Amino acid sequence: MDQLGIHYNFWIVLLSFVVAVAASYSAFNLLSQADGSSPFSRRLWLLTASCVLGSGIWAMHYIGIMAGELPFKVTYHAGGALLSILTSIVFSYLSLSLLVSSRPRLGQIMAGGALLCIAIAGMHYIGMSSLNMKAHLHYNLLSQGIAVLLALFASWLGLFLFSRSKAQAGFSRWRLFASVFLGFAVTGLHYTSVRISHMGYVGADGIHSSFMQTDAILLIGVSLVTLFMFVISGSAVFLDRHVLERMAYHDPLTGLPNRHGLERYFEDEFLANRYGSVFFVDLDRFKAINDTLGHDIGDMLLEEAARRLLKLRQEDGRGRVFRLGGDEFLIAIPGCGREEAKEEALRILSEVKRPYRIEGNELYVTASIGISLSPTHGMDRSSLMKAADTALYTSKDSGKNKFSIFDQEMNRHQVRRMSLEKDLRKALARSEFMVVYQPKWDSLLNVTVGLEALLRWRHPEYGIVSPAEFIPIAEETGLIVPITYWMLHEVCSQNMLWHKESIAEVAVSINMSAKMFETDDLYEVVEEALSRSGLPPHYLELEITESIAMNNMEETVAQLSKLRSLGVRVSLDDFGTGFSSLGNLDEIPVNTLKIDQVFIRKSKMHSKKAIISNIIAIAGNLNMDVVAEGVETPEQIELLQSLGCRVMQGYYYGRPMAVSELGRWFSENAQAAG
């Protein structure tokens, strides 16, 4: 037996190397798409990458065979060729499956390299055994083992370099270096193994009929497999760039870029500018439209709002519009300073509030805007978005349909608000709430005729927190419901204690949140509080606002009527400042109208005096009691008495007092009356 010298066509050898490198790079590129995908998509990307890599290894081998010039004719066994490509694909799949995780460990890389070497070596030796030629191949185990070890080392190195570039999008030089090393592993093993093999020449025999004479067929087969490899790879890249990328980076409803698109825009474009502005835009009253007219109308409204915002940017020729979810949009405008940002915000507000005509409905919405400026408020996307979001909250809190530019005071307010929200969740369990009571005074008889129970929060760090600060947080989070339940039991028990001790026998009123009427058990909770305390129902009064009365009026009236039948009193608070219609007032089961303190404070104005007079007349005609809030001066008392209002509440008669202080107040007033 002799070591047979084989002459190679350089260009075909180079082609085989290029095919191996291209297949490796394509496979790595496809495998990178698996990061962050669903389990099904991850398996699909893995299978596609394995087919490309396995086909590339197989194609390189048979191109390498065709590159050699042998002194005898070579044919191929079809079954062996098929087995070789299956071996290559299967072990490529097993190898790459160890690298699917976002950060493969060294052990996974080592095992993956070993499996990939099996794919390369298995493909090579099965492929060589499928040759039908006038010679027998004989391998030296030591020299072949060295060739396999070199392929193993190159595979390890290739996979290690790939792991460094796995998370990178687009072209990566590390991925290219990894592909070159895999190309060396595949081609190196093939050409080295063939070169160091011994061939025993056996003379000219006919070709056995069970073998296919496949020079032309093999060339066609290799060409088709190579074409298949590049079609699969190209199709996957096209799908990723044009379909999956659009799905990943764009909002399906409006077609605007989404949060992922926002991240890419900031990294690639916005932050490259010296300065710019970020606008957080939130539609006011969108939820009400969604709830009343349905989500389909709501979606159409969002699409139209998106078109209007996009049109503004197209007219200006700068910046991008993004939809972050729900009714929230973000606009980023590079090269936009503070004064220009104010003008742009006014344009947005004006454009958004124009009427929307959708499916026969004429809809009106406004927008609230929060603005942050780069680099003043941050040098990165996260800081600018946080600042704009904080400014947005300020716009909403100050009445909506406005814009606010972020400042540090807003930030302190937001930090405090978040701290209060966190602590509010624990306040009830820690017994940090207390109830104070403000008297209602009959100015003619000079006696207390009622009390209003008011909630206070003794915060362990901030001291007494104003209800104006923590009640809105409790409303938003829904914590107002368990807090009101606790307050009902507390007030009923305390009032019953005053009755037993003969301190006072008056009705105590409690403010009700709209959230309480959204529950199904308000009647049961009130009944339980009265039952546990033993308090007669007419000594409990529930105060509601006009907005509560008018929101889902039929359901609210039904609940109030049920409570009235129990004997509980109901008063309408802040009358004249809400949304109620006089035409519906007689339908609401109310015992008392409370005149809002804004009218009392400005009672010297003729117009306010006229409003107060009309409210008192309305209450009298509807057989309702009337209470004036915010009374602080003798002049106000004199005016109210002249208009026919005798029951008053305010600092003139008594501030909100704790239980211990109120006990002394009752005693002092009883002595004065006596």
Side-chain angles (χ1 to χ4, degrees):
M1 279 183 290
D2 297 318
Q3 189 170 7
L4 192 63
I6 301 178
H7 301 285
Y8 290 97
N9 182 309
F10 171 77
W11 296 109
I12 299 181
V13 170
L14 181 62
L15 174 63
S16 66
F17 177 73
V18 169
V19 167
V21 172
S24 302
Y25 188 87
S26 297
F28 287 152
N29 217 26
L30 293 168
L31 193 64
S32 297
Q33 307 301 322
D35 275 351
S37 301
S38 65
F40 175 77
S41 297
R42 192 178 300 121
R43 288 294 175 191
L44 193 59
W45 285 117
L46 173 60
L47 181 61
T48 306
S50 304
C51 288
V52 168
L53 182 58
S55 300
I57 295 171
W58 185 90
M60 178 273 135
H61 173 83
Y62 283 101
I63 291 172
I65 293 295
M66 288 188 287
E69 298 176 5
L70 293 169
F72 43 77
K73 197 167 187 66
V74 178
T75 55
Y76 308 89
H77 190 283
L82 181 61
L83 178 61
S84 64
I85 192 171
L86 288 175
T87 301
S88 179
I89 291 173
V90 168
F91 279 94
S92 293
Y93 180 88
L94 295 174
S95 170
L96 297 181
S97 65
L98 296 174
L99 302 174
V100 169
S101 61
S102 55
R103 292 184 180 177
R105 296 187 296 272
L106 182 61
Q108 290 175 293
I109 294 172
M110 299 293 281
L115 288 167
L116 189 55
C117 183
I118 293 173
I120 297 169
M123 158 64 232
H124 172 72
Y125 290 112
I126 293 173
M128 293 300 292
S129 70
S130 72
L131 297 179
N132 182 36
M133 57 188 178
K134 298 175 182 178
H136 294 295
L137 282 173
H138 297 277
Y139 299 113
N140 181 291
L141 292 180
L142 179 61
S143 57
Q144 294 291 330
I146 293 172
V148 172
L149 286 175
L150 290 174
L152 176 61
F153 178 75
S155 299
W156 278 338
L157 194 55
L159 295 187
F160 176 75
L161 293 176
F162 166 65
S163 68
R164 294 193 57 176
S165 67
K166 192 168 182 295
Q168 294 179 14
F171 174 78
S172 166
R173 58 194 179 96
W174 291 111
R175 204 172 294 162
L176 179 60
F177 294 157
S179 304
V180 169
F181 274 105
L182 273 197
F184 280 127
V186 177
T187 55
L189 176 61
H190 174 81
Y191 291 115
T192 303
S193 174
V194 171
R195 176 63 66 181
I196 62 178
S197 298
H198 291 80
M199 294 188 182
Y201 187 68
V202 296
D205 292 325
I207 299 171
H208 197 276
S209 60
S210 64
F211 291 91
M212 296 175 62
Q213 189 162 341
T214 54
D215 281 349
I217 295 174
L218 181 66
L219 181 60
I220 293 171
V222 170
S223 300
L224 289 175
V225 168
T226 306
L227 180 64
F228 164 78
M229 180 182 72
F230 286 113
V231 166
I232 288 290
S233 180
S235 299
V237 170
F238 177 84
L239 181 69
D240 177 55
R241 295 286 165 84
H242 295 84
V243 180
L244 296 181
E245 180 175 345
R246 180 162 186 82
M247 291 171 62
Y249 290 95
H250 288 78
D251 171 53
L253 177 64
T254 63
L256 295 175
N258 58 14
R259 286 183 180 272
H260 300 299
L262 174 67
E263 292 174 13
R264 189 163 63 173
Y265 174 72
F266 265 76
E267 291 173 4
D268 298 346
E269 298 182 46
F270 184 83
L271 295 176
N273 292 271
R274 288 189 302 111
Y275 65 98
S277 300
V278 173
F279 300 75
F280 232 127
V281 182
D282 187 270
L283 301 184
D284 305 323
R285 294 186 61 250
F286 174 74
K287 185 178 184 300
I289 291 173
N290 229 8
D291 291 344
T292 54
L293 298 178
H295 290 276
D296 291 340
I297 299 295
D299 287 348
M300 292 181 204
L301 175 61
L302 287 174
E303 290 179 275
E304 178 59 27
R307 278 193 289 269
R308 293 185 185 185
L309 296 175
L310 189 60
K311 183 182 177 184
L312 288 176
R313 298 278 43 82
Q314 290 170 343
E315 290 173 354
D316 189 57
R318 286 184 303 165
R320 292 276 185 87
V321 184
F322 304 86
R323 185 189 176 206
L324 304 185
D327 59 346
E328 290 183 340
F329 297 89
L330 185 140
I331 301 173
I333 308 177
C336 179
R338 177 182 287 267
E339 293 306 315
E340 192 179 354
K342 292 179 181 179
E343 294 175 6
E344 190 59 43
L346 290 173
R347 288 179 64 202
I348 294 170
L349 291 175
S350 176
E351 188 66 24
V352 170
K353 72 179 181 182
R354 288 195 298 109
Y356 297 80
R357 290 173 178 82
I358 298 173
E359 296 289 308
N361 299 287
E362 187 168 305
L363 307 177
Y364 294 87
V365 295
T366 55
S368 297
I369 303 175
I371 305 172
S372 62
L373 306 172
S374 170
T376 307
H377 301 140
M379 300 285 288
D380 60 274
R381 177 187 58 82
S382 179
S383 299
L384 290 169
M385 287 183 66
K386 180 182 175 184
D389 195 25
T390 300
L392 174 65
Y393 271 103
T394 301
S395 296
K396 283 195 167 293
D397 289 344
S398 60
K400 303 178 181 178
N401 192 29
K402 296 179 180 177
F403 72 87
S404 303
I405 298 178
F406 175 79
D407 59 38
Q408 287 304 320
E409 182 58 36
M410 289 181 190
N411 191 45
R412 285 190 289 272
H413 173 75
Q414 188 66 10
V415 169
R416 177 180 168 95
R417 190 184 189 283
M418 291 175 64
S419 174
L420 289 176
E421 181 178 335
K422 174 175 65 72
D423 295 340
L424 190 62
R425 299 179 183 278
K426 307 169 188 173
L428 201 56
R430 294 176 177 176
S431 302
E432 293 173 1
F433 291 117
M434 62 179 289
V435 180
V436 296
Y437 299 86
Q438 187 174 29
K440 297 176 186 177
W441 190 263
D442 188 319
S443 61
L444 296 182
L445 297 178
N446 280 326
V447 293
T448 305
V449 292
L451 297 168
E452 181 177 0
L454 301 165
L455 188 66
R456 296 291 184 266
W457 181 14
R458 295 169 298 191
H459 193 280
E461 181 181 349
Y462 301 126
I464 299 295
V465 181
S466 167
E469 190 173 12
F470 76 83
I471 292 294
I473 300 174
E475 292 270 4
E476 281 184 32
T477 57
L479 293 170
I480 193 68
V481 174
I483 291 172
T484 305
Y485 286 174
W486 169 83
M487 193 173 176
L488 274 166
H489 284 273
E490 182 73 15
V491 167
C492 289
S493 298
Q494 181 60 56
N495 198 6
M496 191 61 198
L497 185 62
W498 284 329
H499 284 210
K500 289 178 179 178
E501 295 177 355
S502 300
I503 293 175
E505 291 189 11
V506 294
V508 180
S509 61
I510 301 176
N511 291 286
M512 289 286 108
S513 162
K515 297 281 185 184
M516 298 298 298
F517 289 88
E518 294 173 6
T519 64
D520 297 327
D521 56 354
L522 176 59
Y523 176 86
E524 287 75 14
V525 170
V526 171
E527 187 181 40
E528 182 187 3
L530 292 169
S531 176
R532 280 192 181 184
S533 63
L535 182 72
H538 63 276
Y539 286 115
L540 175 65
E541 185 173 67
L542 305 182
E543 288 196 8
I544 64 169
T545 61
E546 294 179 75
S547 57
I548 293 175
M550 299 307 297
N551 181 37
N552 194 4
M553 184 173 170
E554 187 176 336
E555 176 63 27
T556 304
V557 167
Q559 293 192 61
L560 291 176
S561 299
K562 196 174 178 183
L563 288 165
R564 282 280 301 274
S565 67
L566 185 64
V568 173
R569 295 175 57 83
V570 178
S571 64
L572 193 58
D573 197 12
D574 302 336
F575 184 73
T577 62
F579 308 101
S580 68
S581 164
L582 292 178
N584 295 324
L585 183 59
D586 62 328
E587 299 175 22
I588 305 171
V590 170
N591 300 94
T592 305
L593 290 185
K594 296 188 74 175
I595 305 172
D596 190 81
Q597 59 185 319
V598 70
F599 301 117
I600 307 301
R601 201 178 303 127
K602 299 178 181 179
S603 58
K604 289 183 179 180
M605 295 172 58
H606 179 73
S607 58
K608 302 301 181 189
K609 190 185 300 183
I611 292 173
I612 294 171
S613 177
N614 283 321
I615 293 175
I616 295 170
I618 289 170
N621 290 329
L622 293 178
N623 198 28
M624 296 178 183
D625 297 328
V626 63
V627 177
E629 294 183 298
V631 176
E632 297 180 357
T633 66
E635 291 79 15
Q636 292 170 348
I637 296 171
E638 185 178 345
L639 171 66
L640 289 166
Q641 286 177 338
S642 69
L643 294 175
C645 177
R646 56 190 289 176
V647 180
M648 304 174 195
Q649 178 183 348
Y651 284 2
Y652 184 87
Y653 292 108
R655 293 173 176 269
M657 294 171 273
V659 171
S660 57
E661 188 181 354
L662 189 63
R664 291 194 299 272
W665 185 88
F666 275 134
S667 299
E668 291 169 1
N669 278 278
Q671 291 172 4

